[in-house]
Amino acid sequence: MGAEKRFSLHLDNSAKIYPAIRTKKWSSMFRLSVTLTEPVDLDILQSALDVTVKRFPSIAMGLKKGFFWYRLEEIDKAPQVIPECWYPCSSMTKEEVRNCAFRVMYHESRISVEFFHSLTDGNGGLIFLKTLTAEYLSQKYGVNIPFEMGVYDRAETPKESEFEDSFLKNNGSVSKSRREKDSYNIRGTKTDGFLYLTTGIIQINDIIKVSKQHNVTLTTFLVSVMIYSAMKLQDVETSCRSKQKPVKIMIPVNLRNYFNSNSMRNFVLYITPGIEANTGEFTFDEIVQLIHHQMKLQLTEKQMRMRITTNVKAEKNNFLKILPLFIKNIAMKIIYTSVGEKKSCLTMSNLGIVKIPEEMECFVDRFDFTLGAQLKGVNNCGILSYKDKIYINMIRSIEEPKLEDMFFSNLSGMGIDVLIERTQKEQQ
């Protein structure tokens, strides 16, 4: 008998950029972690992973190179669970991504899954982690966990809609220009590749109380504090206000909130609200209101569909289709350089409130979401809430903790108590 043909998928519209821009020392990664109330049992975690990957064939994949496009191809078996022995979201080599484009790790009571971004987005990744955790708890403690709140039935056959490229499905007829001004970016002393992680832990009621005082959502409030912090740093670096650049933040938008989609693949686009710093001095209240109105204007179904159309239009370009992959990669790198990281100071991604079945809660202490470093930019920020706390994970690729120190200091100055955790090189 011949070898059985492996299941494969074309990369979704959003996923195509990540293989094109990866380098030997950098790949677009993000981490989702769950911290349990007891130390992780490695054998049971491996057994749980072996079961879970069969439920998510669109994630249990490696990245393969074709002549015209990359594709995702199913892996033979689940990867080996490994101990955490390096900093979060370290780059995957070309061979690692080819063999299996995600990794599962453990450290004491923590289970972490790191994904190469071509596989899925934070929302799909969270479903994978919740389901893996549920399978682990079921095997270890014999607890019966219902299939709800993002915990999937491991025995269920995946639905066709989970494999959908929802960008193509929701393509419209009117596109939107990508042209916008470059943003101010933080500068500093580059590390030797090590990524520092600073986590701020805040009582959710404390920070919601302050955001309500400004009549804005929690995300709008946090983005405003980050912009205010970056503007303070730019004031120090560039005292001449007329020479200052806009300060903008890139915010991933979960398009499942606007369009009907159950896809486990990428279905996220970005908005970049910001402040024209060279036009004068801004109070924090002014910044909050400006960002609030910008986000209201940008976060609509019609605006999102125009952005989808812009991206799909480029993918469907007949000339681009016939170009060999290495030419496409060059073109996408040029596009990314011109309309990618330059347009924002950093990415802030808020996955919102993480909810799990009640049967799991007594075993789970916390969740964390960490974005890997940008290719050229030096900071990124991942946020989520669980039970009564919000966890703000800021990563950086420079020695100086300028932005996170300013950000958390400003929160403290508003009467919000922040517990800080930091990784150090000697701890790795």
Side-chain angles (χ1 to χ4, degrees), residues 79-97:
Q80 287 296 307
V81 177
I82 54 178
E84 279 187 35
C85 55
W86 50 72
Y87 52 83
C89 301
S90 61
S91 180
M92 278 185 144
T93 66
K94 189 181 293 186
E95 184 179 5
E96 285 174 326
V97 174

Side-chain angles (χ1 to χ4, degrees), residues 324-382:
L325 183 59
F326 77 95
I327 299 292
K328 287 190 179 86
N329 285 344
I330 294 171
M332 283 191 279
K333 282 179 181 177
I334 293 171
I335 292 171
Y336 183 78
T337 300
S338 60
V339 300
E341 293 178 5
K342 282 185 177 181
K343 305 305 176 185
S344 65
C345 189
L346 78 161
T347 298
M348 285 187 77
S349 182
N350 186 2
L351 288 185
I353 300 170
V354 176
K355 295 182 178 180
I356 55 176
E358 186 179 346
E359 291 81 354
M360 293 174 66
E361 287 185 352
C362 62
F363 301 102
V364 175
D365 184 52
R366 68 188 263 189
F367 283 88
D368 284 276
F369 173 43
T370 306
L371 289 178
Q374 298 184 21
L375 176 59
K376 299 292 185 182
V378 301
N379 293 99
N380 258 347
C381 181

Side-chain angles (χ1 to χ4, degrees), residues 24 114 340 394:
K24 288 183 178 180
E114 294 187 345
M394 291 190 65

Side-chain angles (χ1 to χ4, degrees), residues 290-337:
L290 284 167
I291 298 306
H292 166 71
H293 291 299
Q294 287 179 39
M295 291 177 69
K296 280 284 188 182
L297 286 168
Q298 295 183 53
L299 290 174
T300 68
E301 181 265 342
K302 291 179 176 62
Q303 287 290 324
M304 290 297 107
R305 193 181 298 277
M306 284 196 291
R307 290 175 182 270
I308 290 173
T309 304
T310 302
N311 289 1
V312 172
K313 188 176 180 180
E315 180 183 342
K316 288 187 171 182
N317 182 287
N318 288 328
F319 177 68
L320 184 64
K321 281 183 179 180
I322 63 172
L323 292 176
L325 183 59
F326 77 95
I327 299 292
K328 287 190 179 86
N329 285 344
I330 294 171
M332 283 191 279
K333 282 179 181 177
I334 293 171
I335 292 171
Y336 183 78
T337 300

